[in-house]
Amino acid sequence: MSMDDDELSSQIRQHATRYTAPDGLRAGIRAQIALADAGRAARPRHRWFDFGSLSFAHFGWRTASVSFALGLACAVIVLPAIQRLDLNQPMDAELVTDHVRALKVGRLTDVVSTDRHTVKPWFQGRLDYAPPVFDLAADGFPLLGGRVEHVRGNVVATLAYARDRHMIDVFVWPSETKTMPVRSVNKGFNVLHWADGSMQYWAVSDVEGGELERFAQLWQAQAAMP
């Protein structure tokens, strides 16, 4: 039995299962849309395809409605699996993904400043904690600014630093544990994790491992100062 477009839309509204996309997924989709738009803008426009006498325009709204319904059905099936994958993904891999996405979209900072007294107050009202912010420019790691990221449902402070032409992201959130720096490598990016009993830190960069460890040592020295 066939149904018209209104009937199909009504069936979708009444019976389709709805899922709320996690913040990380929404951010990833927005990033991919932005990249796709940028790619289309850079490419020359082509004429409308026409295979013989059959144009894509001839398919009409019915095909568009069916395509929408199929896409919605796929989303209903796939989205729970995506959510499970996000929850099971190791933390270093997840933060590398956030770092790479920020590099691609060009959103390393929401507040752009080399002044820690500008960056630190910017987080007020955006977080329920006050992340430490240090000026390491004298040691070759200038502060670029900061932004917030959503990590596993939590809003997290992210500080951006530079080392020559390399970018370093430092993800910071509260922790009562103390751990020495531990380095791992994920997809070619170095990840350094440590905690000082007040905050935990995850530094992510493609800078050499030794340089990232020196960055962590400088950070710890600043944090230990009264």
Side-chain angles (χ1 to χ4, degrees):
M1 179 180 67
S2 61
M3 61 179 69
D4 58 26
D5 296 341
D6 292 338
E7 290 174 329
L8 178 60
S9 298
S10 177
Q11 290 294 316
I12 291 172
R13 286 194 298 270
Q14 292 177 19
H15 302 293
T17 303
R18 296 175 179 269
Y19 290 91
T20 300
D23 292 331
L25 177 60
R26 287 199 296 267
I29 292 173
R30 287 195 297 268
Q32 293 302 318
I33 291 174
L35 291 172
D37 288 343
R40 284 195 295 269
R43 293 193 297 268
R45 288 193 171 187
H46 297 283
R47 297 184 62 185
W48 193 255
F49 288 97
D50 191 343
F51 297 110
S53 61
L54 181 62
S55 171
F56 286 154
H58 293 166
F59 286 103
W61 285 104
R62 181 175 298 278
T63 300
S65 299
V66 173
S67 298
F68 173 79
L70 290 174
L72 181 61
C74 290
V76 168
I77 296 171
V78 172
L79 183 56
I82 292 175
Q83 292 174 322
R84 288 194 296 271
L85 286 174
D86 281 345
L87 293 175
N88 294 330
Q89 188 178 29
M91 183 62 73
D92 59 349
E94 182 173 341
L95 297 181
V96 165
T97 298
D98 290 340
H99 176 68
V100 172
R101 183 177 65 246
L103 290 172
K104 284 183 177 180
V105 179
R107 182 185 164 268
L108 282 171
T109 54
D110 288 331
V111 54
V112 181
S113 178
T114 58
D115 183 359
R116 60 185 294 266
H117 297 294
T118 298
V119 176
K120 186 177 177 67
W122 179 85
F123 288 106
Q124 294 177 3
R126 294 176 171 85
L127 300 171
D128 60 359
Y129 62 95
V133 181
F134 300 121
D135 180 6
L136 303 177
D139 297 292
F141 297 92
L143 174 67
L144 301 179
R147 68 182 189 276
V148 294
E149 287 281 0
H150 291 81
V151 179
R152 302 192 176 183
N154 298 304
V155 183
V156 171
T158 307
L159 303 170
Y161 288 83
R163 176 58 175 168
D164 297 328
R165 296 185 180 182
H166 302 275
M167 300 295 110
I168 301 173
D169 268 342
V170 185
F171 301 85
V172 184
W173 64 86
S175 173
E176 296 180 354
T177 63
K178 283 188 177 182
T179 60
M180 296 297 292
V182 177
R183 181 161 62 95
S184 60
V185 179
N186 187 281
K187 297 181 180 178
F189 288 87
N190 285 303
V191 181
L192 201 62
H193 172 231
W194 73 98
D196 59 11
S198 175
M199 298 283 168
Q200 65 172 302
Y201 310 93
W202 293 78
V204 181
S205 179
D206 66 344
V207 74
E208 292 180 359
E211 287 289 276
L212 195 60
E213 290 175 355
R214 190 166 79 86
F215 173 85
Q217 292 169 0
L218 294 168
W219 183 288
Q220 290 174 303
Q222 287 285 333
M225 294 178 63

